[in-house]
Amino acid sequence: GQNIDQPTEMTATEGAIVQINCTYQTSGFNGLFWYQQHAGEAPTFLSYNVLDGLEEKGRFSSFLSRSKGYSYLLLKELQMKDSASYLCAVKPGRGSTLGRLYFGRGTQLTVWP
Amino acid sequence: SAVISQKPSRDICQRGTSLTIQCQVDSQVTMMFWYRQQPGQSLTLIATANQGSEATYESGFVIDKFPISRPNLTFSTLTVSNMSPEDSSIYLCSATSGESGYTFGSGTRLTVV
């Protein structure tokens, strides 16, 4: 099976930096995604990592270490609108699971003024 | 990336009845998927909708309960059959065309009474 773990909740203040961690154990690996989901809305794409290292995109960065089965999403200069659930998802990419995405439980981030 | 129209957006249904959810993609996609998201939880993959053939179900989900169709490359339906209150959830479809990101429909909020 697929095992993807991330913290349930995090809080931070406006303007701060927050790091959301994700660890995974899957049958093969073909990429890791981060999605943002506001309450009552569909998930929206934030980042995709397939190789080790840091991918930076504006205020958001995502890091991957395949050997450690570990990723993090880094959010800088937090804004109130960043309050949302952040979902880590892995694409195992092997055999019968080819193409499928499996999600962690999601991390509910609350940004305080 | 592809845009998905999902309907209905919400419904309240009597137990024992069935509801069919539709997803229409604005372009041809390689793969389509159906997820369930229970309140405060992350996304659980129900099945992969295969074009022109039977869907591939994840462990814990069966065709009799969640029949799926995908007659072409842009359209899929999920039916929730013989509903019980435990089926109350948000159901989302997703689509991808390979290496690009995965797009999600806006979700169907189902309440079974």
Side-chain angles (χ1 to χ4, degrees):
Chain A
Q2 324 301 334
N3 186 28
I4 301 163
D5 195 30
Q6 53 181 130
T8 305
E9 296 179 333
M10 297 185 73
T11 60
T13 54
E14 233 178 341
I17 299 172
V18 70
Q19 178 174 312
I20 303 174
N21 296 323
C22 172
T23 58
Y24 63 89
Q25 292 176 303
T26 56
S27 53
F29 178 82
N30 199 23
L32 185 145
F33 294 80
W34 284 96
Y35 283 85
Q36 181 191 61
Q37 187 179 29
H38 286 100
E41 298 181 10
T44 55
F45 171 79
L46 291 178
S47 69
Y48 173 56
N49 294 68
V50 64
L51 299 176
D52 289 353
L54 186 68
E55 295 276 345
E56 297 186 79
K57 190 186 296 183
R59 294 190 299 116
F60 293 4
S61 303
S62 57
F63 171 84
L64 175 67
S65 169
R66 289 173 298 171
S67 63
K68 295 181 179 178
Y70 168 70
S71 173
Y72 67 73
L73 180 69
L74 192 69
L75 293 77
K76 303 176 186 176
E77 301 169 18
L78 281 173
Q79 303 173 9
M80 297 292 289
K81 67 178 182 179
D82 296 329
S83 292
S85 182
Y86 291 84
L87 309 175
C88 173
V90 176
K91 186 165 70 169
R94 174 181 293 177
S96 61
T97 63
L98 187 66
R100 301 171 195 175
L101 266 190
Y102 295 89
F103 285 80
R105 73 179 78 177
T107 299
Q108 182 63 47
L109 173 66
T110 302
V111 180
W112 299 101
Chain B
S1 56
V3 175
I4 301 176
S5 298
Q6 181 173 345
K7 60 181 180 182
S9 59
R10 60 178 63 232
D11 207 342
I12 301 173
C13 300
Q14 296 289 326
R15 67 180 67 198
T17 63
S18 298
L19 175 71
T20 296
I21 303 166
Q22 301 180 0
C23 274
Q24 178 71 56
V25 191
D26 69 347
S27 60
Q28 292 187 349
V29 290
T30 308
M31 304 186 79
M32 294 185 72
F33 307 90
W34 288 96
Y35 288 86
R36 180 171 72 185
Q37 186 173 31
Q38 295 180 311
Q41 304 295 316
S42 190
L43 281 72
T44 301
L45 182 63
I46 297 172
T48 303
N50 299 311
Q51 192 258 324
S53 65
E54 189 174 294
T56 305
Y57 290 84
E58 297 295 305
S59 176
F61 297 96
V62 295
I63 187 171
D64 290 346
K65 178 65 176 178
F66 297 103
I68 288 170
S69 78
R70 190 179 172 201
N72 55 51
L73 292 175
T74 63
F75 184 77
S76 180
T77 67
L78 168 75
T79 298
V80 186
S81 302
N82 188 25
M83 289 184 284
S84 66
E86 291 70 36
D87 295 320
S88 297
S89 190
I90 298 172
Y91 293 85
L92 298 104
C93 64
S94 176
T96 186
S97 292
E99 290 305 312
S100 61
Y102 291 67
T103 307
F104 289 84
S106 53
T108 297
R109 184 179 295 272
L110 171 63
T111 303
V112 184
V113 297

PDB file of all heavy atoms in Angstrom, chain B residues 4 7 10 13 20 43 46 48 53 57 62 64 66 103 107-108:
ATOM      1  N   ILE B   4     -12.315  21.131 -15.692  1.00  0.00           N
ATOM      2  CA  ILE B   4     -13.322  20.094 -15.485  1.00  0.00           C
ATOM      3  C   ILE B   4     -14.606  20.722 -14.959  1.00  0.00           C
ATOM      4  O   ILE B   4     -14.566  21.487 -13.983  1.00  0.00           O
ATOM      5  CB  ILE B   4     -12.833  19.031 -14.476  1.00  0.00           C
ATOM      6  CG1 ILE B   4     -11.547  18.367 -14.971  1.00  0.00           C
ATOM      7  CG2 ILE B   4     -13.912  17.973 -14.263  1.00  0.00           C
ATOM      8  CD1 ILE B   4     -10.959  17.369 -13.983  1.00  0.00           C
ATOM      9  N   LYS B   7     -20.863  18.029 -12.049  1.00  0.00           N
ATOM     10  CA  LYS B   7     -22.201  18.301 -11.539  1.00  0.00           C
ATOM     11  C   LYS B   7     -22.898  17.038 -11.097  1.00  0.00           C
ATOM     12  O   LYS B   7     -22.554  15.951 -11.580  1.00  0.00           O
ATOM     13  CB  LYS B   7     -23.039  19.021 -12.609  1.00  0.00           C
ATOM     14  CG  LYS B   7     -23.224  18.269 -13.901  1.00  0.00           C
ATOM     15  CD  LYS B   7     -24.058  19.112 -14.874  1.00  0.00           C
ATOM     16  CE  LYS B   7     -24.274  18.381 -16.186  1.00  0.00           C
ATOM     17  NZ  LYS B   7     -25.052  19.219 -17.139  1.00  0.00           N
ATOM     18  N   ARG B  10     -23.995  19.787  -5.431  1.00  0.00           N
ATOM     19  CA  ARG B  10     -24.434  19.232  -4.155  1.00  0.00           C
ATOM     20  C   ARG B  10     -25.779  18.564  -4.334  1.00  0.00           C
ATOM     21  O   ARG B  10     -26.523  18.873  -5.276  1.00  0.00           O
ATOM     22  CB  ARG B  10     -24.497  20.290  -3.069  1.00  0.00           C
ATOM     23  CG  ARG B  10     -25.448  21.440  -3.349  1.00  0.00           C
ATOM     24  CD  ARG B  10     -25.489  22.415  -2.183  1.00  0.00           C
ATOM     25  NE  ARG B  10     -24.206  23.057  -1.953  1.00  0.00           N
ATOM     26  CZ  ARG B  10     -23.602  23.086  -0.775  1.00  0.00           C
ATOM     27  NH1 ARG B  10     -24.126  22.499   0.274  1.00  0.00           N
ATOM     28  NH2 ARG B  10     -22.443  23.704  -0.635  1.00  0.00           N
ATOM     29  N   CYS B  13     -29.920  13.243  -0.681  1.00  0.00           N
ATOM     30  CA  CYS B  13     -30.582  12.058  -1.215  1.00  0.00           C
ATOM     31  C   CYS B  13     -31.119  11.179  -0.104  1.00  0.00           C
ATOM     32  O   CYS B  13     -30.592  11.168   1.022  1.00  0.00           O
ATOM     33  CB  CYS B  13     -29.593  11.250  -2.059  1.00  0.00           C
ATOM     34  SG  CYS B  13     -28.913  12.152  -3.462  1.00  0.00           S
ATOM     35  N   THR B  20     -25.938   9.802  -9.663  1.00  0.00           N
ATOM     36  CA  THR B  20     -24.880   9.785 -10.674  1.00  0.00           C
ATOM     37  C   THR B  20     -24.254  11.163 -10.788  1.00  0.00           C
ATOM     38  O   THR B  20     -24.955  12.165 -10.951  1.00  0.00           O
ATOM     39  CB  THR B  20     -25.418   9.336 -12.033  1.00  0.00           C
ATOM     40  OG1 THR B  20     -25.868   7.976 -11.921  1.00  0.00           O
ATOM     41  CG2 THR B  20     -24.338   9.413 -13.101  1.00  0.00           C
ATOM     42  N   LEU B  43      -8.066  13.309   0.451  1.00  0.00           N
ATOM     43  CA  LEU B  43      -8.710  12.632  -0.677  1.00  0.00           C
ATOM     44  C   LEU B  43      -8.334  11.151  -0.694  1.00  0.00           C
ATOM     45  O   LEU B  43      -7.156  10.804  -0.626  1.00  0.00           O
ATOM     46  CB  LEU B  43      -8.265  13.270  -1.991  1.00  0.00           C
ATOM     47  CG  LEU B  43      -8.926  14.585  -2.390  1.00  0.00           C
ATOM     48  CD1 LEU B  43      -8.459  15.734  -1.518  1.00  0.00           C
ATOM     49  CD2 LEU B  43      -8.671  14.885  -3.851  1.00  0.00           C
ATOM     50  N   ILE B  46     -10.902   6.388  -5.200  1.00  0.00           N
ATOM     51  CA  ILE B  46     -11.907   5.330  -5.352  1.00  0.00           C
ATOM     52  C   ILE B  46     -11.512   4.413  -6.503  1.00  0.00           C
ATOM     53  O   ILE B  46     -11.450   3.192  -6.352  1.00  0.00           O
ATOM     54  CB  ILE B  46     -13.297   5.918  -5.618  1.00  0.00           C
ATOM     55  CG1 ILE B  46     -13.771   6.756  -4.435  1.00  0.00           C
ATOM     56  CG2 ILE B  46     -14.300   4.816  -5.955  1.00  0.00           C
ATOM     57  CD1 ILE B  46     -15.060   7.537  -4.710  1.00  0.00           C
ATOM     58  N   THR B  48      -9.794   4.357 -10.909  1.00  0.00           N
ATOM     59  CA  THR B  48      -9.352   4.947 -12.170  1.00  0.00           C
ATOM     60  C   THR B  48     -10.402   4.631 -13.212  1.00  0.00           C
ATOM     61  O   THR B  48     -10.772   3.464 -13.405  1.00  0.00           O
ATOM     62  CB  THR B  48      -8.003   4.353 -12.600  1.00  0.00           C
ATOM     63  OG1 THR B  48      -7.054   4.559 -11.548  1.00  0.00           O
ATOM     64  CG2 THR B  48      -7.494   4.989 -13.871  1.00  0.00           C
ATOM     65  N   SER B  53     -13.549   0.688 -21.086  1.00  0.00           N
ATOM     66  CA  SER B  53     -13.460  -0.577 -20.356  1.00  0.00           C
ATOM     67  C   SER B  53     -13.788  -0.347 -18.886  1.00  0.00           C
ATOM     68  O   SER B  53     -13.985   0.780 -18.445  1.00  0.00           O
ATOM     69  CB  SER B  53     -12.072  -1.202 -20.509  1.00  0.00           C
ATOM     70  OG  SER B  53     -11.085  -0.379 -19.908  1.00  0.00           O
ATOM     71  N   TYR B  57     -10.590  -0.399  -9.527  1.00  0.00           N
ATOM     72  CA  TYR B  57     -10.968   0.055  -8.192  1.00  0.00           C
ATOM     73  C   TYR B  57      -9.842  -0.163  -7.182  1.00  0.00           C
ATOM     74  O   TYR B  57      -9.107  -1.159  -7.252  1.00  0.00           O
ATOM     75  CB  TYR B  57     -12.229  -0.677  -7.732  1.00  0.00           C
ATOM     76  CG  TYR B  57     -13.439  -0.250  -8.512  1.00  0.00           C
ATOM     77  CD1 TYR B  57     -13.748  -0.813  -9.746  1.00  0.00           C
ATOM     78  CD2 TYR B  57     -14.267   0.771  -8.029  1.00  0.00           C
ATOM     79  CE1 TYR B  57     -14.836  -0.386 -10.492  1.00  0.00           C
ATOM     80  CE2 TYR B  57     -15.362   1.198  -8.761  1.00  0.00           C
ATOM     81  CZ  TYR B  57     -15.640   0.620  -9.986  1.00  0.00           C
ATOM     82  OH  TYR B  57     -16.715   1.057 -10.712  1.00  0.00           O
ATOM     83  N   VAL B  62     -15.884  -1.168  -4.572  1.00  0.00           N
ATOM     84  CA  VAL B  62     -16.318  -2.195  -5.518  1.00  0.00           C
ATOM     85  C   VAL B  62     -17.250  -1.616  -6.559  1.00  0.00           C
ATOM     86  O   VAL B  62     -17.954  -0.624  -6.304  1.00  0.00           O
ATOM     87  CB  VAL B  62     -16.994  -3.380  -4.789  1.00  0.00           C
ATOM     88  CG1 VAL B  62     -15.992  -4.094  -3.897  1.00  0.00           C
ATOM     89  CG2 VAL B  62     -18.202  -2.899  -3.980  1.00  0.00           C
ATOM     90  N   ASP B  64     -20.080  -2.698  -7.763  1.00  0.00           N
ATOM     91  CA  ASP B  64     -21.517  -2.716  -7.493  1.00  0.00           C
ATOM     92  C   ASP B  64     -21.951  -1.473  -6.721  1.00  0.00           C
ATOM     93  O   ASP B  64     -23.076  -1.005  -6.876  1.00  0.00           O
ATOM     94  CB  ASP B  64     -21.894  -3.968  -6.710  1.00  0.00           C
ATOM     95  CG  ASP B  64     -21.784  -5.224  -7.554  1.00  0.00           C
ATOM     96  OD1 ASP B  64     -21.683  -5.091  -8.793  1.00  0.00           O
ATOM     97  OD2 ASP B  64     -21.797  -6.339  -6.997  1.00  0.00           O
ATOM     98  N   PHE B  66     -20.038   1.509  -6.584  1.00  0.00           N
ATOM     99  CA  PHE B  66     -19.585   2.721  -7.278  1.00  0.00           C
ATOM    100  C   PHE B  66     -19.352   2.436  -8.763  1.00  0.00           C
ATOM    101  O   PHE B  66     -18.217   2.502  -9.255  1.00  0.00           O
ATOM    102  CB  PHE B  66     -18.289   3.243  -6.656  1.00  0.00           C
ATOM    103  CG  PHE B  66     -18.404   3.666  -5.221  1.00  0.00           C
ATOM    104  CD1 PHE B  66     -17.926   2.857  -4.194  1.00  0.00           C
ATOM    105  CD2 PHE B  66     -18.986   4.883  -4.891  1.00  0.00           C
ATOM    106  CE1 PHE B  66     -18.034   3.248  -2.865  1.00  0.00           C
ATOM    107  CE2 PHE B  66     -19.085   5.290  -3.565  1.00  0.00           C
ATOM    108  CZ  PHE B  66     -18.611   4.468  -2.546  1.00  0.00           C
ATOM    109  N   THR B 103      -5.748  17.970 -12.633  1.00  0.00           N
ATOM    110  CA  THR B 103      -6.803  18.963 -12.422  1.00  0.00           C
ATOM    111  C   THR B 103      -7.973  18.290 -11.736  1.00  0.00           C
ATOM    112  O   THR B 103      -8.251  17.113 -11.990  1.00  0.00           O
ATOM    113  CB  THR B 103      -7.260  19.548 -13.767  1.00  0.00           C
ATOM    114  OG1 THR B 103      -6.127  20.016 -14.483  1.00  0.00           O
ATOM    115  CG2 THR B 103      -8.213  20.690 -13.561  1.00  0.00           C
ATOM    116  N   GLY B 107     -16.111  19.348  -7.224  1.00  0.00           N
ATOM    117  CA  GLY B 107     -16.619  18.470  -6.178  1.00  0.00           C
ATOM    118  C   GLY B 107     -18.141  18.429  -6.118  1.00  0.00           C
ATOM    119  O   GLY B 107     -18.833  19.373  -6.520  1.00  0.00           O
ATOM    120  N   THR B 108     -18.648  17.314  -5.626  1.00  0.00           N
ATOM    121  CA  THR B 108     -20.083  17.124  -5.374  1.00  0.00           C
ATOM    122  C   THR B 108     -20.258  16.809  -3.901  1.00  0.00           C
ATOM    123  O   THR B 108     -19.724  15.807  -3.406  1.00  0.00           O
ATOM    124  CB  THR B 108     -20.644  15.966  -6.221  1.00  0.00           C
ATOM    125  OG1 THR B 108     -20.527  16.280  -7.606  1.00  0.00           O
ATOM    126  CG2 THR B 108     -22.108  15.709  -5.872  1.00  0.00           C
TER     127      THR B 108
END
